Amino acid sequence: MAVLCAGQTLAAPQATAAPTSTPHVRTSAASEVHAAEDAAARAIAAALTDPAWRARVRQAALTSHEVAVTALADGALKTTLASADHRIAAAKGLGPGVGPLLRLRLGDPSMRGALTAGTEPWVAAATSDDGPVTAYDGEGGTHTLDARETPARPVYVVDLDGSRALAAGLDVLHEELARRGVRSAAPAAEPKRARTSAAAAGFWTTRIGAVSLSDDEEPWIKGDAEIYTLVTGFGHDGKVRVDPVDMPYLDDDGTVYRPQQILVNWSSYKYDLADAVMMEDDGSTNYRDLAKAIAAILLTVTDQGAYIPLVNAVLDAIPDDWWTDDPDYVDSWYTLARTDNGTRYGARGNGWMTLEPYFVQEL
């Protein structure tokens, strides 16, 4: 999982002011998501006493990285899991149309042999911190596992479809920021700058040639990271804008990815400078609350006729409890320039990107 150095609170600039109501909402959202996942784990464990269901889940877990467990279930279990799905979507600020989010996976590839041999698996909910893991057996018993030491017994981990949740969450972020007066749109939806000739029609962008995040030993209970970046700057109207960029390929730490992905569309910005704040959806992010917190801070920043870095403003909007336990903040890049061509390291030292100017020619 591509996340963070252990000392993230020391390496990152600290939030100096956050809306007083946000930390409470944030904690409630995280608690609600984990409670729903935990209830699903207990229900799945109890259902494993049925030999047919146990065999069905084992086959699915051995042949797929993630199992859409709500679709696999039937009867009362399906109803229970569907209810948990709705609770999770609501806690994350997502609409009911997002679809089932619960997923089941084998905790670690090393467990495949024991599971194949017929060892009874336990079931646990994925955790967003490094504390003890509670696993359930089919008889309703609980077992405390070490998050840092992979157990020999196979464990099914109940987690979320992070890609689906993040895609839906960024849509909510777009809509909510715009509703609160902060411009936010996908680059493709932005109007292009007028050009002096038809031959020059198009727009300049900054493209990511390669990107990597620092190595960190992550617990076996955690799955892939779900990374996105908030690109910020001043629009042509002189007002702050935030453009979220999904980075679904950034799964593992210590791995170099070469996405050739557009990070900044300069036709959206007044100045040839922008900032970027990389974040992770740890499973309990409420996107409406995030948009509300960001908008509350950024709407106080005004254009003074020269570029003002906005990283600190975004970090100030992040509630204090996001700096501990949950790896929400990954890294940040100050004053990205349209002419940047080479490797830029994040301010936290947790990641780097190789950037290049890239002109998108109009068809």
Side-chain angles (χ1 to χ4, degrees):
M1 180 171 176
V3 269
L4 321 172
C5 11
Q8 69 177 32
T9 52
L10 297 178
Q14 290 299 297
T16 56
T20 55
S21 61
T22 306
H24 173 73
V25 175
R26 161 75 173 150
T27 302
S28 298
S31 299
E32 183 68 11
V33 169
H34 184 69
E37 289 179 338
D38 191 69
R42 282 188 279 108
I44 292 169
L48 289 176
T49 55
D50 178 354
W53 167 250
R54 186 167 64 247
R56 194 187 320 169
V57 176
R58 180 174 62 243
Q59 175 67 18
L62 289 172
T63 55
S64 302
H65 174 60
E66 290 186 330
V67 178
V69 67
T70 304
L72 189 69
D74 51 27
L77 178 61
K78 191 179 189 73
T79 301
T80 298
L81 298 183
S83 175
D85 269 318
H86 287 306
R87 287 174 61 189
I88 291 167
K92 292 177 67 62
L94 307 177
V98 65
L101 293 174
L102 286 172
R103 292 294 184 269
L104 179 143
R105 56 180 168 81
L106 194 57
D108 190 83
S110 64
M111 301 172 181
R112 294 177 62 87
L115 183 63
T116 302
T119 302
E120 178 190 351
W122 294 338
V123 187
T127 59
S128 58
D129 55 37
D130 300 340
V133 176
T134 300
Y136 302 97
D137 61 35
E139 303 303 319
T142 61
H143 308 269
T144 300
L145 305 176
D146 189 335
R148 289 286 175 180
E149 184 176 346
T150 304
R153 177 181 289 273
V155 178
Y156 292 143
V157 177
V158 177
D159 208 343
L160 302 185
D161 183 340
S163 296
R164 181 194 291 260
L166 179 56
L170 292 186
D171 285 342
V172 169
L173 194 63
H174 279 305
E175 296 165 3
E176 195 68 16
L177 284 171
R179 192 174 74 82
R180 294 181 178 276
V182 177
R183 294 202 62 185
S184 173
E190 285 298 296
K192 304 178 181 67
R193 286 181 182 171
R195 299 292 168 175
T196 56
S197 68
F203 54 97
W204 280 102
T205 70
T206 288
R207 186 168 67 173
I208 303 171
V211 58
S212 182
L213 300 182
S214 297
D215 185 28
D216 186 26
E217 295 182 6
E218 285 299 315
W220 59 271
I221 193 73
K222 294 183 180 179
D224 292 338
E226 298 300 337
I227 301 292
Y228 60 101
T229 295
L230 302 178
V231 178
T232 63
F234 289 91
H236 295 291
D237 57 2
K239 296 179 181 179
V240 171
R241 62 178 297 121
V242 179
D243 294 315
V245 178
D246 192 0
M247 308 177 87
Y249 49 86
L250 259 174
D251 290 334
D252 300 310
D253 54 3
T255 301
V256 177
Y257 295 90
R258 303 183 185 278
Q260 301 299 307
Q261 180 185 25
I262 290 176
L263 179 66
V264 187
N265 174 1
W266 293 106
S267 70
S268 301
Y269 295 91
K270 176 180 179 180
Y271 301 106
D272 284 347
L273 292 172
D275 295 337
V277 178
M278 187 178 286
M279 306 282 287
E280 181 193 2
D281 180 351
D282 66 352
S284 56
T285 302
N286 184 301
Y287 290 93
R288 295 194 189 279
D289 292 338
L290 177 59
K292 178 181 178 180
I294 291 175
I297 295 294
L298 292 187
L299 287 174
T300 67
V301 181
T302 58
D303 182 11
Q304 302 297 318
Y307 183 73
I308 302 171
L310 296 169
V311 168
N312 287 355
V314 173
L315 298 184
D316 284 346
I318 298 174
D320 290 340
D321 64 311
W322 284 36
W323 298 106
T324 57
D325 297 327
D326 299 333
D328 299 288
Y329 168 61
V330 179
D331 214 329
S332 49
W333 285 260
Y334 289 76
T335 57
L336 298 176
R338 195 183 78 173
T339 55
D340 279 346
N341 194 350
T343 300
R344 288 285 306 267
Y345 289 88
R348 273 188 76 196
N350 191 53
W352 57 264
M353 294 188 287
T354 298
L355 305 174
E356 62 180 356
Y358 181 72
F359 187 75
V360 178
Q361 188 74 41
E362 187 176 88
L363 292 175

